[in-house]
Amino acid sequence: NRMLQAIGATAGLERSAAAARAKHAEGLRRDVCASVSHFSAGACAAAVRALPPETLVADAVLDQVVFPGAGNIIKNEALHRARIHPLRRTSSLRAEELERVVMEVRDFSIRWLRAGRAPESLIYNRTACRECGAAVRLQKLGERGLQRVTFWCTACTPSAAS
């Protein structure tokens, strides 16, 4: 009887280890700084689509299950570069818009990783957009926990109603 319990425990540990390896591999596919051979834009997009449809795009980018490694500066700069308003809901994103968000989050993150410091900010912590000179709006956003300071250009970024 003890032998069967030991065999069962070993089999349970093997299943747990396999599940942990699979979870790690799936997380690596969404890691914004993962190598080209591991990263999958499709896995990130699918993770965004799996969120509740009323999720703010700003919250989705900061969700570490969706975009492991993305932080607040990355959120702000990537959404600006993708021309997506942070108050938009994930359900409102067309496929090409979601693809732009994923690729801008990845691009900004990789440039930061390679340079060892944040790339030039176009809107983060600024009062005027470095692209067009228009006013940058600032608001604390976050419906899924911690509210984070969010910046967007009033001219470059279409309204949240888009």
Side-chain angles (χ1 to χ4, degrees):
N1 198 14
R2 284 186 180 195
M3 179 67 95
L4 289 176
Q5 287 176 339
I7 291 171
T10 300
L13 287 175
E14 289 172 5
R15 282 192 300 274
S16 294
R21 282 191 294 277
K23 185 175 181 179
H24 172 73
E26 185 56 33
L28 192 57
R29 294 179 65 217
R30 293 185 307 270
D31 184 334
V32 295
C33 291
S35 67
V36 173
S37 63
H38 288 101
F39 180 75
S40 167
C44 290
V48 170
R49 291 293 187 212
L51 293 171
E54 69 279 359
T55 302
L56 289 176
V57 174
D59 285 343
V61 174
L62 290 177
D63 188 320
Q64 296 300 295
V65 171
V66 177
F67 291 106
N72 200 46
I73 295 172
I74 293 167
K75 170 198 77 178
N76 285 283
E77 293 296 322
L79 290 177
H80 173 75
R81 286 164 168 80
R83 301 298 193 252
I84 301 296
H85 197 288
L87 282 168
R88 294 237 343 241
R89 303 293 172 172
T90 56
S91 60
S92 77
L93 294 175
R94 296 184 309 273
E96 64 274 8
E97 291 176 317
L98 179 53
E99 182 180 337
R100 279 198 325 263
V101 170
V102 170
M103 296 319 296
E104 292 296 346
V105 168
R106 170 129 171 109
D107 180 63
F108 195 83
S109 300
I110 291 293
R111 287 190 295 129
W112 190 329
L113 178 68
R114 289 184 178 148
R117 60 186 177 85
E120 180 183 29
S121 167
L122 299 176
I123 49 113
Y124 182 79
N125 226 14
R126 298 194 180 278
T127 57
C129 176
R130 291 190 56 105
E131 286 185 303
C132 74
V136 171
R137 178 116 189 262
L138 159 69
Q139 183 178 340
K140 281 193 170 186
L141 295 180
E143 296 178 344
R144 301 180 73 205
L146 181 65
Q147 291 197 328
R148 303 296 303 268
V149 175
T150 304
F151 299 83
W152 66 92
C153 174
T154 56
C156 292
T157 309
S159 75
S162 298

